[in-house]
Amino acid sequence: MDKLVIKGGKRLSGTLPISGAKNAALTLIPCALLTEEPLTLRNLPRLADIDGFQHLMTQFGVTVSIAGSRPEDYGRVVTYEAPRITSTVAPYDLVRKMRASILVLGPMLARMGEATVSMPGGCAIGNRPIDLHLKALEAFGAEIELARGYVKAVAPDGGLPGGDLDFPVVSVGATENALMAAVLANGTSRLFNAAREPEIVDLCNLLAAMGAEIEGIGSSDLTIHGVKRLNGATYKVMADRIEAGSYACAVAITGGEARLEGANAHDMASTIHALQSIGVEIEEDKKGITVRANGALKPTNLTTAPFPGLATDMQAQLMSLLTKADGTSVLKETIFENRFMHVPELGRMGADIATEGRTAIVKGPAELTGAEVMATDLRASMSLVIAGLAAEGETTVRRLYHLDRGYERLEEKLQMLGADIERVGDD
Ligand SMILES: CC(=O)N[C@H]1[C@@H](OP(=O)(O)OP(=O)(O)OC[C@H]2O[C@@H](n3ccc(=O)[nH]c3=O)[C@H](O)[C@@H]2O)O[C@H](CO)[C@@H](O)[C@@H]1O
Ligand SMILES: C=C(OP(=O)(O)O)C(=O)O
Protein backbone atom coordinates (compact mmCIF):
# COMPACT_ATOMS: atom_id res chain seq x y z
CA MET A 1 0.00 0.00 0.00
CA ASP A 2 1.15 3.52 -0.79
CA LYS A 3 2.33 5.94 1.86
CA LEU A 4 3.11 9.64 1.97
CA VAL A 5 6.60 10.69 2.96
CA ILE A 6 6.89 14.30 4.11
CA LYS A 7 10.10 16.11 4.97
CA GLY A 8 8.96 18.95 7.20
CA GLY A 9 10.23 22.50 7.59
CA LYS A 10 9.55 23.95 4.12
CA ARG A 11 7.70 27.31 4.07
CA LEU A 12 4.74 26.90 1.70
CA SER A 13 4.09 29.59 -0.88
CA GLY A 14 2.39 29.96 -4.26
CA THR A 15 -1.05 29.32 -5.69
CA LEU A 16 -3.21 26.23 -5.80
CA PRO A 17 -6.64 25.47 -7.22
CA ILE A 18 -9.44 24.42 -4.90
CA SER A 19 -11.44 21.44 -6.19
CA GLY A 20 -15.16 20.81 -6.32
CA ALA A 21 -16.62 19.82 -2.95
CA LYS A 22 -16.80 16.11 -2.13
CA ASN A 23 -19.71 16.59 0.23
CA ALA A 24 -21.68 18.59 -2.31
CA ALA A 25 -20.91 16.18 -5.16
CA LEU A 26 -22.10 13.22 -3.09
CA THR A 27 -25.57 14.74 -2.80
CA LEU A 28 -25.73 16.20 -6.33
CA ILE A 29 -24.99 12.89 -8.09
CA PRO A 30 -28.06 11.03 -6.70
CA CYS A 31 -30.26 13.83 -8.10
CA ALA A 32 -29.77 12.05 -11.44
CA LEU A 33 -32.21 9.44 -10.11
CA LEU A 34 -34.95 12.09 -10.05
CA THR A 35 -35.17 12.63 -13.80
CA GLU A 36 -35.27 10.73 -17.07
CA GLU A 37 -33.19 13.48 -18.66
CA PRO A 38 -29.39 13.82 -18.49
CA LEU A 39 -27.79 15.56 -15.51
CA THR A 40 -24.35 16.98 -16.21
CA LEU A 41 -22.13 17.96 -13.29
CA ARG A 42 -19.04 20.12 -13.86
CA ASN A 43 -16.12 20.56 -11.48
CA LEU A 44 -16.56 17.08 -9.99
CA PRO A 45 -13.46 16.21 -7.96
CA ARG A 46 -11.48 13.08 -8.88
CA LEU A 47 -11.89 11.17 -5.64
CA ALA A 48 -12.35 7.60 -4.52
CA ASP A 49 -15.71 8.51 -2.98
CA ILE A 50 -16.99 9.93 -6.26
CA ASP A 51 -15.83 6.86 -8.20
CA GLY A 52 -17.54 4.67 -5.60
CA PHE A 53 -20.78 6.62 -5.85
CA GLN A 54 -20.72 6.44 -9.64
CA HIS A 55 -20.29 2.69 -9.42
CA LEU A 56 -23.35 2.55 -7.18
CA MET A 57 -25.33 4.61 -9.72
CA THR A 58 -24.52 2.12 -12.49
CA GLN A 59 -26.03 -0.58 -10.28
CA PHE A 60 -29.40 1.17 -10.75
CA GLY A 61 -29.03 1.31 -14.53
CA VAL A 62 -27.77 4.90 -14.66
CA THR A 63 -25.27 5.54 -17.45
CA VAL A 64 -22.25 7.54 -16.41
CA SER A 65 -20.23 9.28 -19.13
CA ILE A 66 -17.10 11.22 -18.33
CA ALA A 67 -16.36 13.98 -20.86
CA GLY A 68 -12.92 14.30 -22.36
CA SER A 69 -11.14 16.20 -19.64
CA ARG A 70 -7.36 15.95 -19.79
CA PRO A 71 -5.69 13.86 -17.08
CA GLU A 72 -3.72 16.90 -15.92
CA ASP A 73 -6.88 18.96 -15.34
CA TYR A 74 -8.50 19.13 -11.94
CA GLY A 75 -12.16 18.27 -11.82
CA ARG A 76 -14.26 16.44 -14.40
CA VAL A 77 -17.46 16.86 -16.33
CA VAL A 78 -19.72 13.85 -15.90
CA THR A 79 -23.16 13.18 -17.34
CA TYR A 80 -25.58 10.83 -15.60
CA GLU A 81 -28.57 9.54 -17.48
CA ALA A 82 -31.36 7.45 -16.01
CA PRO A 83 -34.19 7.10 -18.56
CA ARG A 84 -35.00 3.77 -16.88
CA ILE A 85 -34.11 2.55 -13.41
CA THR A 86 -33.30 -1.16 -13.59
CA SER A 87 -32.80 -1.88 -9.88
CA THR A 88 -33.96 -0.17 -6.69
CA VAL A 89 -31.52 -2.02 -4.44
CA ALA A 90 -28.25 -0.60 -3.08
CA PRO A 91 -26.33 -3.68 -1.93
CA TYR A 92 -24.12 -3.92 1.15
CA ASP A 93 -20.92 -4.37 -0.80
CA LEU A 94 -21.23 -0.97 -2.45
CA VAL A 95 -22.74 0.88 0.52
CA ARG A 96 -20.35 -0.28 3.25
CA LYS A 97 -17.42 1.63 1.76
CA MET A 98 -19.25 4.93 1.72
CA ARG A 99 -21.75 6.26 4.20
CA ALA A 100 -23.08 8.82 1.73
CA SER A 101 -24.66 5.93 -0.26
CA ILE A 102 -27.68 6.33 2.03
CA LEU A 103 -28.41 9.46 -0.03
CA VAL A 104 -29.91 7.32 -2.79
CA LEU A 105 -32.80 6.35 -0.51
CA GLY A 106 -34.82 9.59 -0.84
CA PRO A 107 -34.56 10.13 -4.61
CA MET A 108 -35.05 6.45 -5.45
CA LEU A 109 -38.18 6.30 -3.29
CA ALA A 110 -39.48 9.51 -4.89
CA ARG A 111 -38.97 8.25 -8.45
CA MET A 112 -39.76 4.54 -8.13
CA GLY A 113 -42.06 4.39 -5.09
CA GLU A 114 -39.65 2.04 -3.36
CA ALA A 115 -36.00 1.72 -2.42
CA THR A 116 -33.93 -0.87 -0.56
CA VAL A 117 -30.59 0.32 0.77
CA SER A 118 -28.09 -1.47 2.95
CA MET A 119 -27.57 0.30 6.28
CA PRO A 120 -24.25 2.12 6.18
CA GLY A 121 -23.21 1.27 9.76
CA GLY A 122 -20.93 3.24 12.06
CA CYS A 123 -17.49 4.55 11.31
CA ALA A 124 -14.40 5.78 13.02
CA ILE A 125 -15.77 9.19 14.02
CA GLY A 126 -18.87 7.98 15.86
CA ASN A 127 -22.04 5.97 15.74
CA ARG A 128 -23.73 7.87 12.86
CA PRO A 129 -27.30 6.54 12.96
CA ILE A 130 -29.82 7.12 10.11
CA ASP A 131 -32.97 7.42 12.23
CA LEU A 132 -33.59 11.02 11.11
CA HIS A 133 -33.37 10.08 7.41
CA LEU A 134 -36.07 7.48 8.05
CA LYS A 135 -38.20 9.83 10.19
CA ALA A 136 -38.29 12.32 7.33
CA LEU A 137 -39.39 9.72 4.79
CA GLU A 138 -42.05 8.42 7.21
CA ALA A 139 -43.28 11.99 7.71
CA PHE A 140 -43.74 12.18 3.93
CA GLY A 141 -45.89 9.03 3.98
CA ALA A 142 -43.39 6.20 3.34
CA GLU A 143 -43.51 2.88 5.13
CA ILE A 144 -40.14 1.78 6.43
CA GLU A 145 -39.06 -1.75 7.19
CA LEU A 146 -35.67 -2.79 8.58
CA ALA A 147 -34.57 -6.35 7.91
CA ARG A 148 -31.27 -8.20 7.53
CA GLY A 149 -29.23 -4.99 7.57
CA TYR A 150 -31.32 -3.32 4.87
CA VAL A 151 -33.79 -0.42 4.95
CA LYS A 152 -36.77 -0.85 2.70
CA ALA A 153 -38.87 2.25 2.07
CA VAL A 154 -42.17 2.03 0.20
CA ALA A 155 -44.45 4.89 -0.88
CA PRO A 156 -48.26 4.52 -1.03
CA ASP A 157 -49.76 3.77 -4.47
CA GLY A 158 -49.69 7.00 -6.44
CA GLY A 159 -46.55 8.30 -4.69
CA LEU A 160 -45.48 10.09 -1.51
CA PRO A 161 -48.09 12.54 -0.20
CA GLY A 162 -45.45 14.79 1.47
CA GLY A 163 -45.54 16.06 5.06
CA ASP A 164 -43.79 18.04 7.79
CA LEU A 165 -40.83 17.30 10.05
CA ASP A 166 -39.14 19.29 12.80
CA PHE A 167 -35.66 17.76 13.05
CA PRO A 168 -34.69 17.19 16.73
CA VAL A 169 -31.00 17.34 15.72
CA VAL A 170 -29.53 19.20 12.75
CA SER A 171 -28.48 16.59 10.20
CA VAL A 172 -26.88 17.35 6.85
CA GLY A 173 -27.55 13.92 5.34
CA ALA A 174 -31.13 13.64 6.62
CA THR A 175 -31.95 17.10 5.26
CA GLU A 176 -30.50 16.09 1.87
CA ASN A 177 -32.43 12.82 1.72
CA ALA A 178 -35.63 14.61 2.77
CA LEU A 179 -35.21 17.29 0.11
CA MET A 180 -34.60 14.76 -2.65
CA ALA A 181 -37.69 12.79 -1.59
CA ALA A 182 -39.98 15.81 -1.18
CA VAL A 183 -39.36 17.43 -4.58
CA LEU A 184 -41.46 14.79 -6.40
CA ALA A 185 -44.11 14.33 -3.67
CA ASN A 186 -47.79 14.95 -4.48
CA GLY A 187 -48.16 17.72 -1.91
CA THR A 188 -46.19 20.29 0.05
CA SER A 189 -43.58 19.31 2.65
CA ARG A 190 -42.04 21.49 5.34
CA LEU A 191 -38.73 20.90 7.10
CA PHE A 192 -37.95 22.76 10.32
CA ASN A 193 -34.50 22.92 11.94
CA ALA A 194 -33.05 21.69 8.64
CA ALA A 195 -29.29 21.83 8.06
CA ARG A 196 -28.21 24.93 6.15
CA GLU A 197 -24.65 24.01 5.23
CA PRO A 198 -23.48 25.47 1.90
CA GLU A 199 -23.67 21.94 0.44
CA ILE A 200 -27.42 21.96 1.19
CA VAL A 201 -27.75 25.28 -0.63
CA ASP A 202 -25.85 23.75 -3.57
CA LEU A 203 -28.30 20.82 -3.57
CA CYS A 204 -31.32 23.18 -3.44
CA ASN A 205 -29.90 25.24 -6.30
CA LEU A 206 -29.45 22.16 -8.47
CA LEU A 207 -32.95 20.90 -7.63
CA ALA A 208 -34.36 24.34 -8.49
CA ALA A 209 -32.48 24.23 -11.82
CA MET A 210 -34.18 20.87 -12.44
CA GLY A 211 -37.59 22.45 -11.87
CA ALA A 212 -38.13 21.84 -8.14
CA GLU A 213 -40.05 24.38 -6.08
CA ILE A 214 -38.24 25.10 -2.82
CA GLU A 215 -38.78 28.09 -0.53
CA GLY A 216 -36.41 29.20 2.23
CA ILE A 217 -33.16 28.09 0.54
CA GLY A 218 -30.25 28.86 2.90
CA SER A 219 -32.47 28.96 5.99
CA SER A 220 -33.35 26.23 8.48
CA ASP A 221 -37.04 26.21 7.50
CA LEU A 222 -37.63 24.80 4.03
CA THR A 223 -40.94 24.46 2.18
CA ILE A 224 -40.98 22.11 -0.79
CA HIS A 225 -43.93 22.07 -3.18
CA GLY A 226 -43.79 18.72 -4.94
CA VAL A 227 -43.83 18.76 -8.75
CA LYS A 228 -44.88 16.01 -11.20
CA ARG A 229 -41.55 15.73 -12.97
CA LEU A 230 -38.07 17.19 -12.97
CA ASN A 231 -35.94 18.02 -15.99
CA GLY A 232 -32.23 17.49 -16.54
CA ALA A 233 -29.66 20.23 -15.92
CA THR A 234 -26.02 21.21 -16.21
CA TYR A 235 -24.57 22.38 -12.93
CA LYS A 236 -21.19 23.34 -11.47
CA VAL A 237 -20.28 21.76 -8.11
CA MET A 238 -19.36 24.36 -5.47
CA ALA A 239 -15.78 24.78 -4.26
CA ASP A 240 -14.68 22.54 -1.40
CA ARG A 241 -14.66 24.69 1.73
CA ILE A 242 -13.07 21.93 3.80
CA GLU A 243 -10.28 21.34 1.30
CA ALA A 244 -9.63 25.11 1.22
CA GLY A 245 -9.62 25.28 5.03
CA SER A 246 -7.24 22.32 5.21
CA TYR A 247 -4.72 23.95 2.86
CA ALA A 248 -5.06 27.22 4.76
CA CYS A 249 -3.97 25.34 7.92
CA ALA A 250 -1.09 23.72 6.00
CA VAL A 251 0.16 27.10 4.76
CA ALA A 252 -0.26 28.72 8.19
CA ILE A 253 1.63 26.03 10.11
CA THR A 254 4.68 26.61 7.90
CA GLY A 255 4.50 30.41 8.29
CA GLY A 256 3.82 30.64 4.56
CA GLU A 257 1.73 32.62 2.13
CA ALA A 258 -0.50 31.18 -0.58
CA ARG A 259 -3.44 31.93 -2.75
CA LEU A 260 -6.27 29.38 -2.77
CA GLU A 261 -7.87 29.91 -6.15
CA GLY A 262 -11.61 29.33 -6.22
CA ALA A 263 -12.09 29.19 -2.43
CA ASN A 264 -15.38 30.76 -1.39
CA ALA A 265 -14.82 33.00 1.65
CA HIS A 266 -18.53 33.21 2.45
CA ASP A 267 -18.95 29.43 2.68
CA MET A 268 -15.89 29.08 4.91
CA ALA A 269 -16.45 32.14 7.10
CA SER A 270 -16.28 30.19 10.37
CA THR A 271 -12.93 28.64 9.38
CA ILE A 272 -11.60 32.04 8.33
CA HIS A 273 -12.71 33.47 11.66
CA ALA A 274 -10.94 30.63 13.51
CA LEU A 275 -7.75 31.17 11.50
CA GLN A 276 -7.85 34.91 12.18
CA SER A 277 -8.24 34.30 15.91
CA ILE A 278 -5.05 32.19 15.67
CA GLY A 279 -3.28 35.15 14.07
CA VAL A 280 -3.41 34.03 10.44
CA GLU A 281 -4.12 36.80 7.94
CA ILE A 282 -6.78 36.07 5.31
CA GLU A 283 -7.51 38.29 2.37
CA GLU A 284 -10.73 37.60 0.51
CA ASP A 285 -11.78 38.46 -3.00
CA LYS A 286 -14.36 37.20 -5.46
CA LYS A 287 -12.10 34.51 -6.93
CA GLY A 288 -10.42 33.07 -3.86
CA ILE A 289 -8.56 33.78 -0.66
CA THR A 290 -4.94 34.53 0.24
CA VAL A 291 -3.53 33.06 3.43
CA ARG A 292 -0.57 34.70 5.14
CA ALA A 293 1.17 33.67 8.36
CA ASN A 294 4.38 35.00 9.85
CA GLY A 295 5.08 32.13 12.22
CA ALA A 296 3.62 33.63 15.41
CA LEU A 297 0.43 31.73 16.20
CA LYS A 298 -1.95 32.57 19.07
CA PRO A 299 -3.87 30.02 21.15
CA THR A 300 -7.64 30.12 20.92
CA ASN A 301 -10.76 28.24 21.99
CA LEU A 302 -12.91 26.64 19.28
CA THR A 303 -16.20 24.73 19.33
CA THR A 304 -17.65 22.86 16.37
CA ALA A 305 -21.33 23.40 15.50
CA PRO A 306 -23.72 23.07 12.58
CA PHE A 307 -23.39 25.80 9.91
CA PRO A 308 -22.85 28.73 10.29
CA GLY A 309 -20.74 27.42 13.22
CA LEU A 310 -17.29 25.90 12.86
CA ALA A 311 -17.40 22.74 10.71
CA THR A 312 -16.53 19.52 12.53
CA ASP A 313 -14.68 18.55 9.33
CA MET A 314 -12.12 21.30 10.15
CA GLN A 315 -11.52 20.35 13.79
CA ALA A 316 -8.57 17.97 13.32
CA GLN A 317 -6.69 20.28 10.93
CA LEU A 318 -7.11 23.31 13.22
CA MET A 319 -5.92 21.18 16.14
CA SER A 320 -2.65 20.47 14.33
CA LEU A 321 -2.19 24.17 13.70
CA LEU A 322 -2.85 24.96 17.38
CA THR A 323 -0.07 22.60 18.52
CA LYS A 324 2.29 25.36 17.27
CA ALA A 325 0.42 28.25 18.97
CA ASP A 326 2.07 29.97 21.89
CA GLY A 327 -0.16 28.85 24.80
CA THR A 328 -3.12 26.63 25.65
CA SER A 329 -6.12 26.15 23.34
CA VAL A 330 -9.35 24.31 24.03
CA LEU A 331 -11.27 22.54 21.23
CA LYS A 332 -14.78 21.22 21.78
CA GLU A 333 -16.31 18.70 19.36
CA THR A 334 -20.09 18.85 19.58
CA ILE A 335 -21.14 16.96 16.42
CA PHE A 336 -19.52 13.52 16.62
CA GLU A 337 -18.78 11.64 19.83
CA ASN A 338 -15.52 10.06 18.73
CA ARG A 339 -13.66 12.49 16.53
CA PHE A 340 -10.32 12.77 18.33
CA MET A 341 -8.62 9.76 16.75
CA HIS A 342 -5.80 12.00 15.55
CA VAL A 343 -4.83 13.00 19.11
CA PRO A 344 -2.67 9.95 19.97
CA GLU A 345 -0.98 10.13 16.55
CA LEU A 346 -0.23 13.86 16.97
CA GLY A 347 1.11 12.93 20.43
CA ARG A 348 3.58 10.55 18.78
CA MET A 349 4.83 13.55 16.80
CA GLY A 350 5.46 15.53 20.00
CA ALA A 351 2.14 17.38 20.45
CA ASP A 352 0.88 17.92 24.02
CA ILE A 353 -2.87 17.25 23.82
CA ALA A 354 -5.14 15.89 26.55
CA THR A 355 -8.76 14.90 25.97
CA GLU A 356 -11.68 14.84 28.39
CA GLY A 357 -14.80 13.52 26.71
CA ARG A 358 -15.51 15.80 23.77
CA THR A 359 -12.93 18.44 24.81
CA ALA A 360 -9.27 18.55 23.78
CA ILE A 361 -6.72 20.75 25.54
CA VAL A 362 -3.79 21.60 23.33
CA LYS A 363 -0.64 23.01 24.96
CA GLY A 364 1.69 24.78 22.59
CA PRO A 365 4.04 25.52 21.14
CA ALA A 366 5.16 21.92 20.56
CA GLU A 367 8.42 20.93 18.93
CA LEU A 368 6.95 18.52 16.40
CA THR A 369 9.17 15.73 15.15
CA GLY A 370 8.60 13.42 12.20
CA ALA A 371 7.19 9.95 12.90
CA GLU A 372 5.44 7.01 11.27
CA VAL A 373 1.72 7.67 11.70
CA MET A 374 -1.64 6.53 10.43
CA ALA A 375 -5.18 7.66 11.01
CA THR A 376 -8.57 6.08 10.92
CA ASP A 377 -10.49 8.80 9.11
CA LEU A 378 -10.19 11.40 6.40
CA ARG A 379 -9.71 14.67 8.30
CA ALA A 380 -7.58 13.00 10.98
CA SER A 381 -5.25 11.87 8.18
CA MET A 382 -5.06 15.44 6.87
CA SER A 383 -4.20 16.72 10.34
CA LEU A 384 -1.18 14.39 10.34
CA VAL A 385 -0.06 15.69 6.94
CA ILE A 386 -0.33 19.26 8.27
CA ALA A 387 1.70 18.39 11.37
CA GLY A 388 4.25 16.60 9.17
CA LEU A 389 4.79 19.76 7.11
CA ALA A 390 5.92 21.60 10.25
CA ALA A 391 7.74 18.71 11.94
CA GLU A 392 11.47 18.33 12.07
CA GLY A 393 12.57 15.37 9.95
CA GLU A 394 10.55 12.79 8.08
CA THR A 395 6.89 11.85 8.62
CA THR A 396 5.33 8.82 6.97
CA VAL A 397 1.53 8.73 6.71
CA ARG A 398 -0.05 5.37 5.95
CA ARG A 399 -3.56 4.23 5.01
CA LEU A 400 -3.85 6.75 2.22
CA TYR A 401 -7.26 5.48 1.18
CA HIS A 402 -8.74 7.86 3.74
CA LEU A 403 -7.03 10.87 2.14
CA ASP A 404 -7.90 9.66 -1.36
CA ARG A 405 -11.60 9.71 -0.38
CA GLY A 406 -11.55 13.46 0.05
CA TYR A 407 -8.45 15.28 -1.25
CA GLU A 408 -7.94 15.48 -5.00
CA ARG A 409 -4.26 14.86 -5.79
CA LEU A 410 -3.12 15.98 -2.37
CA GLU A 411 0.63 15.55 -2.80
CA GLU A 412 0.59 17.25 -6.21
CA LYS A 413 -1.18 20.29 -4.77
CA LEU A 414 1.20 20.53 -1.81
CA GLN A 415 4.18 20.17 -4.16
CA MET A 416 2.82 23.22 -6.07
CA LEU A 417 3.38 25.18 -2.86
CA GLY A 418 6.91 23.84 -2.44
CA ALA A 419 6.26 21.07 0.09
CA ASP A 420 8.66 18.14 0.18
CA ILE A 421 6.05 15.38 -0.04
CA GLU A 422 6.00 12.18 -2.07
CA ARG A 423 3.70 9.21 -2.51
CA VAL A 424 5.72 6.03 -2.50
CA GLY A 425 4.81 2.36 -2.73
CA ASP A 426 5.31 0.35 0.45
CA ASP A 427 8.28 -1.99 0.55
C1 LIG B 1 -20.99 13.17 2.93
C2 LIG B 1 -21.19 14.29 3.87
O1 LIG B 1 -21.76 15.31 3.52
N1 LIG B 1 -20.69 14.14 5.09
C3 LIG B 1 -20.80 15.22 6.04
C4 LIG B 1 -22.15 15.14 6.72
O2 LIG B 1 -22.25 13.87 7.32
P1 LIG B 1 -23.66 13.36 7.86
O3 LIG B 1 -24.73 13.84 6.96
O4 LIG B 1 -23.53 11.92 8.09
O5 LIG B 1 -23.74 14.11 9.26
P2 LIG B 1 -25.03 14.63 10.03
O6 LIG B 1 -25.14 16.10 9.85
O7 LIG B 1 -26.19 13.80 9.63
O8 LIG B 1 -24.66 14.31 11.54
C5 LIG B 1 -24.81 15.29 12.55
C6 LIG B 1 -25.17 14.64 13.85
O9 LIG B 1 -26.47 14.10 13.75
C7 LIG B 1 -26.49 12.75 14.18
N2 LIG B 1 -27.51 12.03 13.38
C8 LIG B 1 -27.47 12.11 12.02
C9 LIG B 1 -28.39 11.43 11.25
C10 LIG B 1 -29.39 10.68 11.90
O10 LIG B 1 -30.25 10.06 11.29
N3 LIG B 1 -29.41 10.63 13.27
C11 LIG B 1 -28.48 11.30 14.04
O11 LIG B 1 -28.52 11.24 15.26
C12 LIG B 1 -25.07 12.26 13.90
O12 LIG B 1 -24.75 11.13 14.66
C13 LIG B 1 -24.26 13.48 14.26
O13 LIG B 1 -24.06 13.52 15.65
O14 LIG B 1 -22.25 16.18 7.70
C14 LIG B 1 -21.28 16.07 8.76
C15 LIG B 1 -21.56 17.18 9.75
O15 LIG B 1 -21.34 18.42 9.19
C16 LIG B 1 -19.87 16.13 8.18
O16 LIG B 1 -18.94 15.87 9.19
C17 LIG B 1 -19.68 15.12 7.07
O17 LIG B 1 -18.46 15.33 6.39
C1 LIG C 1 -16.77 12.74 7.67
C2 LIG C 1 -16.59 13.08 6.40
O1 LIG C 1 -17.15 12.45 5.32
P1 LIG C 1 -18.21 11.25 5.29
O2 LIG C 1 -19.48 11.77 5.87
O3 LIG C 1 -18.32 10.95 3.85
O4 LIG C 1 -17.62 10.13 6.12
C3 LIG C 1 -15.74 14.23 6.00
O5 LIG C 1 -15.83 14.65 4.83
O6 LIG C 1 -14.97 14.73 6.84
Side-chain angles (χ1 to χ4, degrees), residues 22-23 49 125 128 313 339 378-379 405:
K22 164 183 90 81
N23 287 350
D49 265 19
I125 61 175
R128 307 188 79 179
D313 292 351
R339 209 171 193 183
L378 168 59
R379 308 304 169 185
R405 277 187 55 216

Side-chain angles (χ1 to χ4, degrees), residues 131-145:
D131 55 316
L132 300 175
H133 299 239
L134 306 185
K135 263 204 172 81
L137 301 182
E138 276 176 335
F140 298 163
E143 275 196 22
I144 307 282
E145 198 189 303

Side-chain angles (χ1 to χ4, degrees), residues 110-128:
R111 165 105 174 249
M112 301 300 288
E114 64 166 62
T116 306
V117 179
S118 172
M119 293 212 254
C123 80
I125 61 175
N127 184 23
R128 307 188 79 179

Side-chain angles (χ1 to χ4, degrees), residues 242-365:
I242 307 300
E243 189 203 28
S246 304
Y247 286 121
C249 291
V251 171
I253 205 169
T254 70
E257 173 169 348
R259 178 163 173 76
L260 307 181
E261 197 70 38
N264 181 324
H266 172 264
D267 290 348
M268 56 186 293
S270 61
T271 295
I272 289 179
H273 188 251
L275 288 165
Q276 285 169 335
S277 70
I278 300 170
V280 181
E281 272 178 48
I282 308 280
E283 225 174 84
E284 313 173 4
D285 60 68
K286 282 194 182 124
K287 291 192 172 162
I289 64 169
T290 301
V291 183
R292 204 170 290 122
N294 60 13
L297 299 175
K298 295 185 284 186
T300 193
N301 297 337
L302 300 173
T303 301
T304 61
F307 191 85
L310 179 64
T312 170
D313 292 351
M314 278 306 304
Q315 178 254 110
Q317 305 89 312
L318 286 163
M319 190 184 292
S320 285
L321 182 59
L322 285 170
T323 63
K324 298 298 278 182
D326 191 8
T328 300
S329 303
V330 178
L331 274 89
K332 287 193 184 140
E333 170 57 56
T334 72
I335 307 293
F336 292 110
E337 68 274 18
N338 187 22
R339 209 171 193 183
F340 284 148
M341 303 296 277
H342 40 289
V343 169
E345 294 300 284
L346 288 172
R348 297 179 61 241
M349 297 178 73
D352 181 352
I353 308 171
T355 56
E356 266 172 45
R358 290 187 180 198
T359 301
I361 298 140
V362 185
K363 288 191 183 144

Side-chain angles (χ1 to χ4, degrees), residues 22-187:
K22 164 183 90 81
N23 287 350
L26 290 174
T27 188
L28 300 182
I29 297 171
C31 290
L33 296 170
L34 292 166
T35 176
E36 292 169 12
E37 295 180 14
L39 169 66
T40 299
L41 296 177
R42 299 193 288 122
N43 199 33
L44 266 181
R46 295 170 194 239
L47 295 172
D49 265 19
I50 303 299
D51 292 346
F53 211 109
Q54 286 177 173
H55 189 199
L56 178 61
M57 294 294 278
T58 59
Q59 155 82 19
F60 307 132
V62 181
T63 57
V64 178
S65 4
I66 301 172
S69 67
R70 297 170 304 171
E72 66 269 28
D73 290 338
Y74 287 94
R76 279 191 294 203
V77 180
V78 181
T79 298
Y80 306 88
E81 202 165 354
R84 273 187 336 111
I85 303 278
T86 54
S87 165
T88 57
V89 180
Y92 175 71
D93 228 33
L94 296 179
V95 170
R96 74 186 162 86
K97 296 184 192 136
M98 204 181 18
R99 184 187 152 78
S101 311
I102 193 68
L103 295 176
V104 301
L105 188 62
M108 182 68 87
L109 174 68
R111 165 105 174 249
M112 301 300 288
E114 64 166 62
T116 306
V117 179
S118 172
M119 293 212 254
C123 80
I125 61 175
N127 184 23
R128 307 188 79 179
I130 55 163
D131 55 316
L132 300 175
H133 299 239
L134 306 185
K135 263 204 172 81
L137 301 182
E138 276 176 335
F140 298 163
E143 275 196 22
I144 307 282
E145 198 189 303
L146 303 179
R148 296 192 189 87
Y150 280 78
V151 181
K152 182 166 186 184
V154 181
D157 286 345
L160 288 176
D164 296 351
L165 182 68
D166 191 351
F167 286 104
V169 172
V170 178
S171 164
V172 172
T175 302
E176 292 167 344
N177 242 332
L179 274 161
M180 290 185 281
V183 285
L184 285 179
N186 295 324

